[in-house]
Amino acid sequence: MARIAGVNLPQDKRIEVALTYIYGIGRRLSSQILTKLNILKCIKVRELSEADITRLKEVIEKIPTEGELR
């Protein structure tokens, strides 16, 4: 299970859509993050490697999300 910014991402969703479950990240920002990290937008969350999840966490930490925005 991928947990990023305090949110459990749904395992059966494409990563591009799953990142939008995090408050403050929309489709456009999700797409930009994945392009920056060279992660395919069409893969599902359960197919991400631990290295990919770690890189996503590092990038998303720098973006105001969840509690910072609420």
Side-chain angles (χ1 to χ4, degrees):
M1 178 182 303
R3 185 170 177 88
I4 299 175
V7 176
N8 292 329
L9 300 180
Q11 298 293 312
D12 294 327
K13 297 275 186 186
R14 291 182 309 125
I15 187 63
E16 182 178 24
V17 174
L19 286 178
T20 64
Y21 280 60
I22 301 171
Y23 188 80
I25 297 180
R27 289 290 291 263
R28 182 170 170 233
L29 183 56
S30 172
S31 179
Q32 290 173 349
I33 292 169
L34 295 173
T35 300
K36 178 180 176 181
L37 296 177
N38 293 323
I39 298 174
L40 296 175
K41 298 173 189 173
C42 60
I43 65 172
K44 301 209 178 205
V45 173
R46 66 173 173 245
E47 297 170 355
L48 289 173
S49 68
E50 288 299 321
D52 290 339
I53 294 171
T54 303
R55 291 186 310 155
L56 280 168
K57 286 180 182 179
E58 290 171 357
V59 170
I60 292 173
E61 281 178 359
K62 298 174 186 172
I63 300 169
T65 56
E66 285 297 318
E68 299 167 359
L69 293 177
R70 290 183 189 215

